[in-house]
Amino acid sequence: MRLEMMTAPAAAAMIARSPGIIWPMGSTEQHGPHGLIGTDHLCAEAIARRFGAARGVLVAPTLAVGQSHFQLGFPGSLAIRPSTLMAIVADYLAAMEATGIRRLYILNGHGGNIAPVRSAVAEFHAARSFNRIDPASRIVVRLRSWWELPRTDALRKRLYGAAEGYHATPSEIAITQAAYPEAIGEFDAPPPPASHDMSDHAGDNYEEAASFRRAFPDGTVISHSALARRADGEALLAAAVEDLAEDYARFIAG
Ligand code: NI
């Protein structure tokens, strides 16, 4: 149930019945020679919208640009600063709380967003602690990246193993193939890239854009994007919707 496609009375009735909402977020950044620039937000959005439509859950408008400054060496990438993302999250929390939302489930599709979002939520709580505010009703936040949902994580590792890598991953490319077949097809897979040390790249801990481009000239980070298949994307979407149903139900109940 997309919030922006509802009337205010209809939204009010839904919030009265269940005061929760899912907010998909991601990035708009290069995804190598095979992936769509919108891959990160398109994946989170596709999962959230499928889940919301199937289960009658509110879905907020997608935040499509994220903390991606390290991708600015590649044309087509956009970015907001960590402090900008924190400010956006702070405003969304306050606005949602003011209009009756009590459970905000952020479904993330971009590793670079994780640290600023966590910090923004911590700032939101800290302001209350320092001001000794103990509101009877307040918004509670959960942040999950789709690839860490358990069935989805197991499936992407089973499908692609070490070729999954960290950026322009075949699993995220496959989800876009399934969700947007008119925009992205399948590829002839070339041999996999040479193996790398896998340990340094989780969470998008990169420095500035010039060094990122030097380190990863084709824009991927150990990911063999061309292995992506539409059927895999459909299976990943189904697994993610199932995972999300369980995790969201626990979150609302908790
Ligand atoms: Ni991505």
Side-chain angles (χ1 to χ4, degrees), residues 27 29 31 39-40 109-110 166-169 172:
S27 69
E29 63 180 30
H31 270 70
T39 297
D40 286 358
H110 173 57
Y166 290 96
H167 182 62
T169 66
E172 63 181 347

Side-chain angles (χ1 to χ4, degrees), residues 44 71 143 243:
Q71 299 288 8
L143 170 65
D243 279 333

Side-chain angles (χ1 to χ4, degrees), residues 4-5 35 42 54 79 84 98 116 165 175 183 216 249:
E4 69 272 29
M5 306 302 279
L42 294 174
T84 308
I175 289 173
F216 307 107

Side-chain angles (χ1 to χ4, degrees), residues 129-216:
S129 301
F130 284 113
N131 293 305
R132 298 184 185 171
I133 297 170
D134 187 10
S137 60
R138 58 192 174 82
I139 192 165
V140 179
V141 184
R142 175 169 291 184
L143 170 65
R144 290 277 189 275
S145 298
W146 63 262
W147 56 83
E148 64 187 1
L149 296 168
R151 290 179 188 81
T152 315
D153 187 37
L155 180 56
R156 72 191 183 102
K157 286 170 177 161
R158 184 159 60 75
L159 286 169
Y160 302 119
E164 172 75 344
Y166 290 96
H167 182 62
T169 66
S171 66
E172 63 181 347
I173 307 289
I175 289 173
T176 61
Q177 289 170 331
Y180 300 96
E182 70 285 4
I184 180 168
E186 297 186 340
F187 319 103
D188 297 324
S195 64
H196 276 259
D197 177 2
M198 297 281 287
S199 57
D200 290 337
H201 305 296
D204 287 354
N205 298 309
Y206 306 116
E207 294 173 355
E208 87 301 329
S211 64
F212 182 92
R213 180 146 194 172
R214 270 197 302 277
F216 307 107

